[in-house]
Amino acid sequence: MKADFTAKLMKWNRNLNTRAMPWKGEKDPYKIWLSEIILQQTRVEQGLGYYERFIRAFPTVKHLAKAPQKKVFKLWEGLGYYTRCKNLVATAAFISKEKKGIFPADYETILSLKGVGPYTAAAIASFAYNLPHAVLDGNVFRVLSRYFGINTPIDTPAGKKLYTMLAHELLHRKEPGLYNQAIMDFGAVVCKPQQPLCGQCPQKNDCQALKYNIVKDLPIKEKQLKKKNRWLYYFIVEIKKDTVLIRKRTGKDIWENLYEFVLYERNQLLAPGKKTLTPVLKELFGNQLIHIKNISPVFHQQLTHQTIAGQFIELETETIPVTMRGYEAVKKTTIKKYPFPKFISAWLQQKNKPLQLF
Ligand code: SF4
């Protein structure tokens, strides 16, 4: 799957990537560095003019180092985040004085420059020197989390570690610079934040987010989780093929007095498959023999203060599991008489059997 991802990305880049940027294919580390610093907090369209004016005014790092600070800041005017400009001036002076005007050519030294983080260092190292360092920016996080269906929040240490390792494994060893540019372009024009072009995506056959209908839920950020995202996994426990377990919702929560199936709630995506469900089934039903019949795609519902998402997992068993206190077994034929929240009736309707559940 990983090798396939990289091969398809490179093929897309060769044949279909038409995204043009003036610094694309650039090998001069100074120009790459300049463009990356400008783009750190600025959109491409806004940064373009600044990049061109800077290159005209200071064609090399030595020119930039020699220029009066006032002139550099004047040229930066309007771009905001002036620390970037301060770092630009300091780094140009450092390279000019300490490195004889020669831009460093190894990742560690590039990373040690003021204002250069892991992303910028990887971009310079791979674009200018073809060194095998994978970039990890917003585009890359999005593409990887969707394609591999990763629900670890991207803004946590665990997430950063996981994505860094994955990005490194996927990197094209012979053409890391080309690969890095390709994945960022792919995220910008195909796997876009809003309305990604899944229909014409070369990765669509293996994309986990598309498969489970969770494209718009990924990538996940911890900050978002704090905004109350609820993942509801409903188990439709069918006993001897003619009854199902339901219960009335009580307590001060959404959908009070409405009915629901057996609920397993999480604050993050579970991506249910046979492997992830085994411990959940054990937790819910003990050692009871249960057969998984079907797993639905993800359903969504936006409430005023909560984002609800979840799936419906149909199960079959022979007796009511002893762990299911609080649930009642009702005939499937009577299920239509019970009031369900919209989230559940949407699934019932999609099954297209409004009068008879199964
Ligand atoms: S199928 Fe859609 S979500 Fe998946 S990688 Fe392609 S564009 Fe992104």
Side-chain angles (χ1 to χ4, degrees):
M1 194 172 167
K2 286 175 187 162
D4 212 40
F5 172 86
T6 302
K8 282 186 181 152
L9 180 73
M10 295 302 269
K11 190 171 172 202
W12 170 83
N13 189 53
R14 256 191 325 275
N15 302 331
L16 297 165
N17 186 6
T18 53
R19 192 176 186 224
M21 289 202 286
W23 44 78
K24 220 166 158 176
E26 180 61 67
K27 293 283 167 204
D28 180 345
Y30 163 69
K31 290 182 183 164
I32 297 166
W33 166 68
L34 193 60
S35 68
E36 292 298 341
I37 301 293
I38 288 174
L39 290 185
Q40 271 172 5
Q41 267 119 344
T42 304
R43 285 176 298 111
V44 173
E45 310 80 65
Q46 196 200 353
L48 197 63
Y50 283 87
Y51 170 76
E52 283 164 352
R53 283 192 288 280
F54 261 82
I55 293 295
R56 261 200 309 276
F58 319 115
T60 68
V61 73
K62 282 186 181 164
H63 287 92
L64 181 57
K66 266 196 274 169
Q69 257 200 38
K70 216 167 119 197
K71 188 176 169 191
V72 182
F73 272 80
K74 184 69 196 163
L75 219 54
W76 192 269
E77 204 174 67
L79 259 187
Y81 299 99
Y82 281 84
T83 316
R84 290 183 292 169
C85 188
K86 236 170 95 184
N87 289 336
L88 211 63
V89 171
T91 297
F94 171 78
I95 294 175
S96 180
K97 231 166 109 192
E98 307 294 330
K99 305 278 174 195
K100 300 193 175 105
I102 299 165
F103 210 94
D106 66 286
Y107 178 80
E108 296 306 328
T109 317
I110 297 171
L111 184 62
S112 72
L113 299 174
K114 256 192 171 167
V116 171
Y119 160 76
T120 308
I124 298 170
S126 65
F127 296 158
Y129 307 113
N130 219 25
L131 293 173
H133 292 274
V135 292
L136 203 45
D137 72 343
N139 285 320
V140 181
F141 275 120
R142 186 171 58 256
V143 172
L144 298 188
S145 79
R146 286 176 174 171
Y147 179 82
F148 291 98
I150 303 171
N151 59 14
T152 310
I154 60 173
D155 53 349
T156 57
K160 288 201 175 106
K161 197 171 159 199
L162 190 151
Y163 280 95
T164 303
M165 277 164 56
L166 180 59
H168 189 68
E169 277 179 62
L170 295 166
L171 187 69
H172 194 284
R173 299 288 138 181
K174 287 196 180 135
E175 296 182 291
L178 204 62
Y179 169 89
N180 276 340
Q181 189 62 62
I183 193 166
M184 290 193 288
D185 288 349
F186 183 77
V189 300
V190 181
C191 196
K192 302 182 285 181
Q194 311 296 332
Q195 297 171 336
L197 310 179
C198 300
Q200 58 199 74
C201 172
Q203 311 281 14
K204 68 180 174 190
N205 290 342
D206 292 309
C207 175
Q208 299 301 297
L210 190 64
K211 184 170 165 192
Y212 291 109
N213 188 26
I214 47 175
V215 174
K216 65 179 180 176
D217 300 304
L218 294 176
I220 289 175
K221 282 191 179 169
E222 194 172 57
K223 280 188 207 136
Q224 265 168 10
L225 293 179
K226 288 183 183 139
K227 269 194 228 153
K228 192 92 169 161
N229 278 350
R230 295 176 76 171
W231 286 87
L232 307 183
Y233 293 94
Y234 277 118
F235 290 90
I236 325 302
V237 186
E238 192 184 328
I239 297 137
K240 283 208 172 102
K241 299 192 191 300
D242 76 338
T243 54
V244 284
L245 295 180
I246 60 169
R247 73 172 173 191
K248 192 178 187 175
R249 285 180 66 88
T250 52
K252 292 274 156 266
D253 193 8
I254 52 169
W255 307 334
E256 200 183 343
N257 294 327
L258 299 181
Y259 281 77
E260 67 183 357
F261 298 106
V262 176
L263 173 64
Y264 185 74
E265 179 166 353
R266 280 286 165 272
N267 62 2
Q268 61 174 322
L269 176 69
L270 181 70
K274 290 230 157 80
K275 213 169 136 198
T276 43
L277 281 180
T278 305
V280 177
L281 293 181
K282 189 151 178 60
E283 190 182 329
L284 285 173
F285 308 112
N287 290 326
Q288 173 122 359
L289 206 61
I290 298 236
H291 167 66
I292 301 172
K293 249 171 69 177
N294 190 37
I295 301 173
S296 79
V298 174
F299 282 68
H300 296 91
Q301 189 179 359
Q302 188 60 54
L303 303 175
T304 317
H305 300 295
Q306 302 183 23
T307 303
I308 309 286
Q311 284 170 272
F312 295 85
I313 300 130
E314 294 169 63
L315 306 173
E316 263 179 347
T317 189
E318 284 303 302
T319 54
I320 300 177
V322 285
T323 52
M324 287 292 99
R325 278 180 290 275
Y327 286 92
E328 53 182 305
V330 299
K331 291 268 178 225
K332 287 193 309 192
T333 45
T334 64
I335 202 91
K336 63 179 188 296
K337 294 187 185 146
Y338 293 87
F340 288 100
K342 202 170 128 199
F343 185 74
I344 294 179
S345 34
W347 173 73
L348 288 169
Q349 263 163 30
Q350 212 203 28
K351 283 188 72 68
N352 205 16
K353 292 177 185 167
L355 294 179
Q356 193 185 337
L357 183 55
F358 296 95

